[in-house]
Amino acid sequence: MSEFDFTQRFLFDDTDVRGEMVSLGESYAHVLAKHPYPEPVAQLLGEMLAAASLLVGTLKFDGLLVLQARSSGAVPLLMVECSSDREVRGIARYHASQVTPGAGLHELMPEGSLTLTVDPKQGQRYQGIVALEGASLAESLSGYFDNSQQLPTRFWLYADGRNARGMLLQALPADRLKDPEAREANWQHLTTLADTLTAEELLGLDNETVLHRLYHEEAVRLFDPQVIHFRCSCSRQRSANALVSLGKDDAQALLQESGGNVVIDCQFCNQRYSFDAADIAQLFAGGGSAAPSETRH
């Protein structure tokens, strides 16, 4: 396996189908290190990280992709962000007493919903919502694309608390195969072969070996990997902007309620940003967010 986290695109030369594979180790470890997740939650969060990384590879945009799943169950929230620069972060909220060993998607997130948001720096924001109806996150995402009437897309996602891996197949507009029946038969053929892929194979083998096992009779081109890494987008400036948005009176009231020191925690990475009375005064005097005192995050 590669020593770095990456996505890798592949194409079937004789048909109109593309694919993408993702391998996450270090960035997955960074996400898990921030919170003491039970194993089933860590696995589900890993699958979500892999899914977001795959989806970014299918889009041509400059901005942020957000996958968010909500439910009334043991895991009320899963959220992963992946930027077009392939910077990823994620978080899960869970009720520890309700998480049972070996629990899957249905047990952890009953009657849940999945929201996909694409937020470009330029242009219109897009958001789609679908019920978490599949037996797994991969099935639910595949169903999302079926319901949205976009290009047929299938996902295979696995995570074990150490590595998060995934594969995506997506039909392309008709070019090499024009006949609708031939296109459908080919799509079924390729996805049926992919369904034979086991968690052990995807988590334990490199991409070349996986593709050879599945598609040794197909003409497959594997492209260069694209590096992915963990990065949290929080900052002292963003925290300061949140305080400014409250207004001067509310910010000063919050300062008093907090005993003279407002602390803003980042839920994703646990970074803490502290603001004392001098910092707050400087913010509303237009002096910026750099602390004038010894206070630092």
Side-chain angles (χ1 to χ4, degrees):
M1 302 293 288
S2 173
E3 294 182 356
F4 55 87
D5 294 0
F6 65 98
T7 61
Q8 196 166 16
R9 187 184 186 193
F10 60 93
L11 281 175
F12 294 90
D13 285 335
D14 300 328
T15 188
D16 304 313
V17 176
R18 66 174 292 274
E20 191 101 13
M21 302 185 78
V22 61
S23 176
L24 302 177
E26 184 176 342
S27 54
Y28 184 27
H30 272 296
V31 170
L32 296 186
K34 306 304 178 184
H35 302 277
Y37 294 118
E39 184 177 351
V41 180
Q43 290 177 355
L44 195 55
L45 184 54
E47 292 177 12
M48 184 82 96
L49 287 163
S53 303
L54 288 171
L55 283 166
V56 162
T58 71
L59 303 172
K60 293 182 179 180
F61 80 113
D62 183 13
L64 189 67
L65 180 143
V66 182
L67 270 183
Q68 187 176 115
R70 291 187 176 274
S71 81
S72 58
V75 180
L77 174 68
L78 279 175
M79 184 187 258
V80 169
E81 297 179 354
C82 188
S83 72
S84 51
D85 294 327
R86 289 178 165 78
E87 296 172 341
V88 66
R89 67 177 187 168
I91 191 171
R93 293 286 180 235
Y94 64 95
H95 304 299
S97 62
Q98 299 178 26
V99 177
T100 57
L105 179 66
H106 279 175
E107 293 82 9
L108 296 173
M109 305 192 77
E111 300 179 354
S113 63
L114 179 69
T115 302
L116 186 154
T117 304
V118 178
D119 193 6
K121 293 179 181 177
Q122 303 289 334
Q124 189 173 359
R125 187 170 181 261
Y126 168 82
Q127 187 172 83
I129 303 175
V130 68
L132 280 172
E133 293 180 337
S136 64
L137 180 61
E139 284 190 19
S140 296
L141 278 166
S142 299
Y144 170 88
F145 278 84
D146 289 339
N147 294 331
S148 64
Q149 298 181 337
Q150 299 184 43
L151 294 171
T153 306
R154 287 282 308 277
F155 293 81
W156 293 264
L157 304 168
Y158 298 106
D160 62 3
R162 297 179 301 277
N163 296 293
R165 293 273 277 148
M167 187 173 79
L168 169 153
L169 291 181
Q170 186 172 69
L172 298 172
D175 181 24
R176 291 169 175 79
L177 287 180
K178 304 289 188 181
D179 180 68
E181 291 186 3
R183 285 174 56 80
E184 177 62 23
N186 181 72
W187 175 252
Q188 292 300 326
H189 169 66
L190 296 178
T191 55
T192 298
L193 289 174
D195 282 336
T196 67
L197 184 64
T198 66
E200 291 74 19
E201 287 175 320
L202 190 55
L203 289 168
L205 301 175
D206 60 65
N207 289 349
E208 292 87 346
T209 302
V210 169
L211 291 176
H212 178 73
R213 286 195 178 190
L214 293 176
Y215 302 119
H216 56 275
E217 295 182 354
E218 311 292 334
V220 182
R221 264 190 298 156
L222 187 60
F223 292 81
D224 291 337
Q226 301 290 317
V227 176
I228 288 181
H229 58 274
F230 170 84
R231 181 179 181 274
C232 190
S233 57
C234 72
S235 68
R236 183 174 177 82
Q237 181 62 54
R238 286 194 172 191
S239 299
N241 291 343
L243 288 173
V244 171
S245 69
L246 293 176
K248 185 175 182 179
D249 291 342
D250 286 344
Q252 289 180 336
L254 181 61
L255 182 67
Q256 291 181 350
E257 293 172 6
S258 304
N261 191 48
V262 177
V263 178
I264 298 178
D265 295 328
C266 175
Q267 297 182 4
F268 285 91
C269 70
N270 291 337
Q271 182 66 274
R272 310 188 81 194
Y273 301 94
S274 298
F275 298 84
D276 61 16
D279 298 328
I280 300 292
Q282 179 174 282
L283 285 177
F284 287 96
S289 62
S293 64
E294 292 300 316
T295 304
R296 288 293 186 270
H297 68 267

